[in-house]
Structure formats: structure tokens, C-alpha cells
Amino acid sequence: MEVIKDKPHSSAAVSRRLASKWPRPVWHPPWKLYRVISGHLGWVRSIAFDPSNEWFVTGSSDRTIKLWDTGSGQLKLTLTGHIEQVTGLAVSPRHPYMFSCSLDKEVKCWDLEHNKVIRNYHGHLSGVYCLALHPTLDLIMSGGRDSTCRVWDMRTKTQVFALSGHTNTVASVLTQPTDPQVITGSHDTTIRLWDLRKGATMATLTYHKKSVRALVAHPQENTFASAGADNIKKFKLPAGDFLHNMLQQQRAIINCMAINEDGVLASGGDNGSIWFWDWKSGNCFQQQDTIVQPGSLDSEAGIYAMSYDLSGSRLVTCEADKTIKMWKEDEQATPETHPINFRPPKDIRRF
């Protein structure tokens, strides 16, 4: 067996198999449903938390935006103004403004001191699907069915860039303070990283085989995850290097994802499944199906949007049975009662 000693030229067939170097998952307690809020008259399509964590807003296909108290779940305010489903919301951390986008091609800026629309950003040619605020500059990014991500100046309402390059609906958008400052996922199955100075693509990631409907950035690491109906993939920034797939497949159209500081990634499917993942290892530790509101059809189980509150201790999901559901960790659970079911993947290429 001279071959084994001669390591640089050894063939994979005879070299000794190494023990798995895959990181062991951290134990996380399972999550449980603790509150169901009903009030919308249509599918709940979008959610955003206020930077103070005292309230959150949801947008619905009943064309209203409702503002809820985080602690009690009480309705505080209903805003009307859109004439189609409200598909995206964002609350500014630096101004008293909230932004909404809708399938009526509108992107609106609401003044939360007067609860009125003060600006309209006009230019999308079709429905707007997603919205994000730049963390440090006064810019808004909105992506829609016209295959572009449009960058707006918040104050002057001018369109700074139309980031064009996708060949189908832009379904998700992420923004960051550092390059790439804009990341978009589209129904053309690609993810694009954009250079905001030039308004041009820095990189196109073609790893997915299905539409990329959800993107989420890790709060501490310089990484992000993207979800298609095929699987959830993790990428490293700034170059967009592919890290790995999540270890299980949800086998659903994943509409939304959210991650908290503890590294718990949640993903919500069109069939009402919510899966909770350990970020570092990519292992799914809880597979949960949502319970539809009494009187709804089972086919109305679907998760359209989700967000953690700012503490990361509560998860809020927006669903097709017109409800908003709030989840929290099970305090009674221990690693003994809910052991980790983890098999390291065999086919990770080490050669």
C-alpha cells in the first residue's frame, strides 16, 4: 500500500476515509404556538417589526396594513390606501416612516406621526413583490414582476437605479451596509449580487433549480441563505461562495425565512410547514405543521411571511388562513426530552 503514504497522488478509492468533520448541531429547544391573532380579512402577506419592538405591522390581501401590539397582540391601528394586496413592509430605524409595496405597482411612504401616506414612489411596471431599506443610506429597494429591482431615493422620490438583469419576477431582496449592498433572488432561479455604485451585477449565482422566493442574512456572520422549492442553500459574502445545502429537504415551496441571534433559522412553506434549522450545521431540529384556524380549509395552510421580534425570542408567522401566529421556545424542553437527531452527510466532497 505504497499509495497511501504517497498522499498527494493517492487515489480516493484507497485513501482512508476521514471521520466526519461536519460540525455538530447546537441544541435548540423546540418552538410552540402560543397565540393566534385574527383580524385581517384576507391572506396575510407581509410583516415588519418596529425598531423599539413594541409593535409590528402586517400587510394583507384585504388591502389594509394593520399595526399590532407585540406583547398583547391587540390591534392598534388599521391603515388603508393600497388598492391591491400589500406584499412588502419595512419600518425605518432612523425616521418615523414606514414603507409598503403592493401588487397595485405602488411603493408608499407612511408618516407614522400622522398615519398618512406622504410619498409615492412611481415607476414599477407591474406588481411589487418585495421591499427592503438600506441600513445606512436613505434608499429603498423594491423588486417586482417587471424583473427589476428599483432603487429609490427616500426623500426626493427619484429612481436612482433600475437594477435589471433578471429574466423573471424579483421575489426577494436583501440589503447590507457593505458590498454587495443589494442581493436579489428571482423566479428565474438565480441570485444576483449588485454593485450599488455602478448599478450593475457583481455576481450571478445559479445554484438553485427553482425560484428563489426567500433570502435571509445572518445577523453576525457575513453569510446569507436562500430558499427555493429544491432546497435551502448557504452562501458566503462578499463573493457569494457556495457553502453547503441544508441537510434535509422541506419538499415545499418556501415563501419566507427568518433567523435570530441564536442561529435558529425558520422557513415557512406554501403547504403550511414550518421547519426550524440549526444555522451552523444545517440540521433541521423541528418539523412543524401549522394548524389552520377553525372553519378554514386544510388547503389554506400556507405561510407567506415570517419575522422574529428584535429579541429573537418570538417568531411571528403570517398565514393563508388570514391569521397571524406567534411562536416561542418551549421552556420545559431539555436536551434529554428532545434529543438531536443528526446524521452527518456522507457525500461531502473532501477530495
Side-chain angles (χ1 to χ4, degrees), residues 50-94:
D50 155 55
S52 71
N53 213 18
E54 288 171 14
W55 47 268
F56 64 93
V57 279
T58 54
S60 162
S61 58
D62 63 8
R63 309 189 295 280
T64 63
I65 298 167
K66 288 185 188 281
L67 208 138
W68 311 88
D69 186 273
T70 310
S72 64
Q74 297 295 316
L75 178 65
K76 295 172 83 161
L77 189 65
T78 303
L79 300 170
T80 56
H82 281 291
I83 53 174
E84 259 290 357
Q85 307 190 15
V86 182
T87 49
L89 288 167
V91 183
S92 170
R94 290 171 308 173

Side-chain angles (χ1 to χ4, degrees), residues 3 15 31 104 141 164 169 181 233 236 245 276 335:
V3 190
S15 59
W31 291 66
D104 57 14
M141 327 298 169
S164 57
T169 303
Q181 295 179 46
K233 297 177 187 290
K236 189 158 176 275
N245 286 332
F276 292 92

Side-chain angles (χ1 to χ4, degrees), residues 125-162:
L125 306 175
S126 192
V128 192
Y129 275 53
C130 54
L131 180 75
L133 300 181
H134 195 286
T136 51
L137 305 172
D138 292 348
L139 294 174
I140 312 154
M141 327 298 169
S142 58
R145 207 158 44 197
D146 56 5
S147 317
T148 58
C149 172
R150 294 178 192 270
V151 182
W152 310 90
D153 185 305
M154 199 180 276
R155 196 175 55 84
T156 61
K157 300 182 286 197
T158 50
Q159 179 179 302
V160 186
F161 287 120

